[in-house]
Amino acid sequence: PADTRDAARVRSAPAPITDVARLCVCDLLVAQCDVNCCCDPDCSAEDFSLFTTCSVPVVIGDSQLCSQKAAVYSLDVEANPPERIFKLIDQVNPSIFCIHAANYEQALYLKSPEIPTPENFDQLLEKFGGASFRAEPDSWNLDTDAQNPPEANETSRYEYGVPVQTEDAFLRLPSPVVSSWCSDANPAGFLVNQATKCIRSVSVENCDSIQALSMLFYINSSILASVFQVNITVQSIAVQSLNGMRTLLSSSDVLRLPMFLDELCINAVLGVNYHITYTDTGEIIEAAAAFVLGAISKETLSIEQSFEISFTQENTQPVPLSGNPGYVVGLPVRAGFQPQGYPFPAAFLFAALALSSNKHSQLTILQSTSTQDCLAAQGARAPVLFGYNMISGCKLRITAAMKCQPLAQTLLDVLKGQSFPEYVASFGNSQAQDVLDWVPITQLHISQQVKSPCQIPVSLGIEVKWTKYGSLVNPQARIVNVTATITTTTLKQLPSGREKIIPITSSVVFTDISSPAEPSYKAWPTINIKLPFDFFYPFV
């Protein structure tokens, strides 16, 4: 009934286990008053009168809760003698990512682990002896809506990030969760391009019974659409040998199931690449999967599987990425424009950052030619690649018959191109709808000489500042600032019959502004205390 679901949805959080009024993180000395520790129960009113401040003014339980009790300590210095003031208030977490109800009750207290004994050893080995195990109880999910999946008409049009639903649950995209082992509980989100790699434990003799090694595991469920279901078709099958050689099969109509043959497990799934086609209203109309099958030797205990999913709108061309998520050195820097009326850069203008656009909407930089003639080199372009500093140029022959304004516009088109981008993607996989992932290009103008009636551009310099983002183990390249500087110079009127040659240059410089990693111990608080003489007993 609806009222039962509503009652479950507004279920209140359990009573807090930690009493913040009795919690004191600065109480370090046993049976002694710690200086300026206003929550120390060993301190008396006389001790509080000597305090100058409260070292810990606020004590809370879990900072991730949306609402909780907080113990606030302060000193009334105007009182004679000074007194400590204690208040217990309700503190609200301003973050939208907070815990509203702690429905996993087992996590609210420390559960003593079960000690292995001769009687329960086999049971514990069966439960925890594998490469991965499920520790959550069946009562983890208390949301009754999950037990009642929506009907097909409610899933006709997907929104960004919503899991792609199938007949049984959702479209699986295995990925590593806590460790590097594969977890099949990762749903594929609509319009979220992903690429994952994980480790799968295998038993070669029984490979035909491992679902994750079979093609059917990834295509046997249809995707829910408006009035019909979209079947996942097999787009291609590539077979990989033991030495890594791949061969694309001419036919993908026949399913190849894993089997144990001649001390090998053949036709085992090593990689799956999903490709989803959708309409402009968010309706999925086609789904295909490309497989990489391979052989596994009998001695192998685990294999690495790779999974990828991409989305393409109907009647449009897919946009190539330059990294996932950070930029890869040597790939084009992606840029775009913001058309009037659009809150995000246009998806069809994604391309490489450059100084002009060609028929593929790829932005390029002026490319030097053998003739070095700027007018002849106007159509010769080269893509700007991330991490590669570039410089190019040409020579312009100026005669007395040339007019200033047409000449200046021609040189500007040579340097910047017909359509200079407005934004640059901060990551190699930035999407159009992620507005904050796009960095505006700052354009500057510098004049080499005093202002005169005729100023012509002679150089364009682009500086791309990037930083290492994320973990120190696997940092990702992220663009944080782009500046385009046009330099102009004064052109004086030439006498009749005279000519002048002016060099025109364009350049791109990548600058790493990453801060050097600092040891984490510098952020640790220092406590000036004296340990008891027997603190390390019986060790010296």
Side-chain angles (χ1 to χ4, degrees):
D3 53 354
T4 305
R5 292 198 297 266
D6 295 339
R9 188 179 293 108
V10 299
R11 173 175 177 171
S12 59
I17 305 300
T18 303
D19 185 5
V20 293
R22 301 178 59 182
L23 183 64
C24 189
V25 295
C26 57
D27 184 10
L28 304 178
L29 300 179
V30 180
Q32 297 184 41
C33 177
D34 292 82
V35 179
N36 291 336
C37 183
C38 296
C39 57
D40 192 345
D42 299 321
C43 298
S44 61
E46 297 179 355
D47 296 327
F48 291 138
S49 65
L50 300 177
F51 286 4
T52 58
T53 184
C54 290
S55 59
V56 181
V58 180
V59 178
I60 59 176
D62 189 351
S63 60
Q64 296 181 348
L65 293 177
C66 297
S67 178
Q68 61 178 318
K69 293 290 184 180
V72 180
Y73 299 92
S74 61
L75 293 177
D76 185 4
V77 295
E78 297 181 357
N80 189 14
E83 299 177 351
R84 183 201 68 169
I85 301 176
F86 168 72
K87 294 181 181 179
L88 194 62
I89 64 173
D90 292 326
Q91 179 168 305
V92 178
N93 190 347
S95 174
I96 62 174
F97 302 104
C98 59
I99 300 175
H100 175 69
N103 52 16
Y104 184 31
E105 299 181 358
Q106 294 187 16
L108 300 178
Y109 60 90
L110 179 63
K111 183 178 180 180
S112 300
E114 189 174 357
I115 306 299
T117 62
E119 291 76 16
N120 65 359
F121 181 80
D122 294 336
Q123 179 183 358
L124 295 178
L125 181 63
E126 181 180 357
K127 183 177 181 181
F128 302 106
S132 62
F133 57 87
R134 179 180 175 88
E136 300 90 343
D138 295 335
S139 60
W140 171 282
N141 188 2
L142 297 181
D143 189 357
T144 55
D145 290 346
Q147 302 174 7
N148 301 290
E151 300 297 332
N153 56 1
E154 298 180 9
T155 60
S156 59
R157 290 167 175 81
Y158 289 91
E159 296 180 356
Y160 177 80
V162 174
V164 178
Q165 299 182 9
T166 58
E167 292 177 304
D168 50 359
F170 47 78
L171 184 62
R172 303 181 183 90
L173 192 71
S175 65
V177 181
V178 179
S179 61
S180 59
W181 298 99
C182 292
S183 172
D184 298 324
N186 178 44
F190 183 64
L191 295 184
V192 180
N193 295 333
Q194 299 184 60
T196 63
K197 290 183 179 181
C198 56
I199 305 298
R200 179 91 61 181
S201 60
V202 295
S203 174
V204 177
E205 293 84 353
N206 303 320
C207 68
D208 55 349
S209 62
I210 302 177
Q211 291 185 345
L213 299 182
S214 173
M215 294 176 58
L216 287 175
F217 182 71
Y218 305 98
I219 62 174
N220 60 356
S221 295
S222 300
I223 296 177
L224 299 183
S226 55
V227 295
F228 58 90
Q229 297 179 352
V230 178
N231 296 325
I232 303 176
T233 60
V234 179
Q235 187 178 36
S236 63
I237 299 177
V239 178
Q240 179 175 305
S241 62
L242 291 176
N243 59 4
M245 291 281 294
R246 290 188 180 183
T247 303
L248 184 63
L249 300 182
S250 58
S251 175
S252 58
D253 298 335
V254 180
L255 292 180
R256 294 174 173 261
L257 301 180
M259 64 178 62
F260 184 69
L261 181 66
D262 296 334
E263 304 296 322
L264 294 175
C265 175
I266 60 175
N267 298 331
V269 174
L270 302 181
V272 183
N273 189 337
Y274 290 107
H275 185 74
I276 309 296
T277 305
Y278 65 97
T279 64
D280 55 354
T281 59
E283 183 179 355
I284 296 177
I285 59 175
E286 187 179 348
F291 287 91
V292 176
L293 307 181
I296 308 174
S297 60
K298 185 178 181 180
E299 296 79 11
T300 304
L301 300 179
S302 62
I303 61 172
E304 182 184 65
Q305 291 180 310
S306 61
F307 302 92
E308 187 173 350
I309 185 171
S310 60
F311 295 83
T312 303
Q313 187 174 334
E314 184 184 18
N315 299 326
T316 61
Q317 295 294 329
V319 178
L321 303 180
S322 296
N324 190 24
Y327 276 100
V328 176
V329 175
L331 294 183
V333 176
R334 304 169 65 234
F337 306 89
Q338 187 175 15
Q340 292 292 336
Y342 283 78
F344 46 80
F348 59 89
L349 291 178
F350 286 167
L353 172 65
L355 311 179
S356 176
S357 68
N358 56 21
K359 60 182 180 180
H360 304 292
S361 295
Q362 185 183 39
L363 305 172
T364 57
I365 191 175
L366 171 65
Q367 181 177 359
S368 301
T369 61
S370 57
T371 60
Q372 293 293 306
D373 186 359
C374 290
L375 299 181
Q378 192 169 359
R381 325 300 295 182
V384 173
L385 308 179
F386 181 82
Y388 287 4
N389 296 336
M390 305 174 64
I391 185 171
S392 61
C394 59
K395 294 180 180 181
L396 179 65
R397 185 183 301 273
I398 300 177
T399 62
M402 290 184 175
K403 302 297 182 181
C404 179
Q405 294 302 328
L407 178 61
Q409 186 60 44
T410 300
L411 291 178
L412 195 61
D413 293 341
V414 169
L415 291 173
K416 297 180 63 176
Q418 298 295 330
S419 301
F420 192 74
E422 299 174 351
Y423 293 87
V424 168
S426 58
F427 292 101
N429 66 346
S430 296
Q431 301 298 317
Q433 60 269 17
D434 299 332
V435 181
L436 298 180
D437 274 359
W438 293 85
V439 179
I441 300 177
T442 303
Q443 299 194 32
L444 303 177
H445 294 269
I446 298 178
S447 178
Q448 290 181 342
Q449 301 177 12
V450 294
K451 292 185 178 180
S452 67
C454 184
Q455 293 277 336
I456 60 173
V458 293
S459 68
L460 170 63
I462 297 179
E463 183 182 15
V464 181
K465 296 181 179 179
W466 65 280
T467 182
K468 297 182 180 70
Y469 180 85
S471 171
L472 293 176
V473 179
N474 185 24
Q476 302 294 313
R478 175 187 183 183
I479 294 178
V480 296
N481 181 268
V482 178
T483 303
T485 304
I486 289 286
T487 303
T488 61
T489 186
T490 301
L491 178 63
K492 297 180 180 180
Q493 183 64 34
L494 296 177
S496 178
R498 297 287 299 273
E499 294 183 352
K500 183 178 181 180
I501 297 179
I502 298 179
I504 307 298
T505 59
S506 59
S507 62
V508 178
V509 176
F510 289 85
T511 305
D512 183 3
I513 61 172
S514 304
S515 300
E518 297 182 1
S520 58
Y521 65 81
K522 291 186 178 181
W524 294 351
T526 57
I527 303 175
N528 187 16
I529 62 174
K530 184 177 181 181
L531 297 176
F533 70 93
D534 59 347
F535 184 81
F536 295 102
Y537 181 82
F539 303 101
V540 178

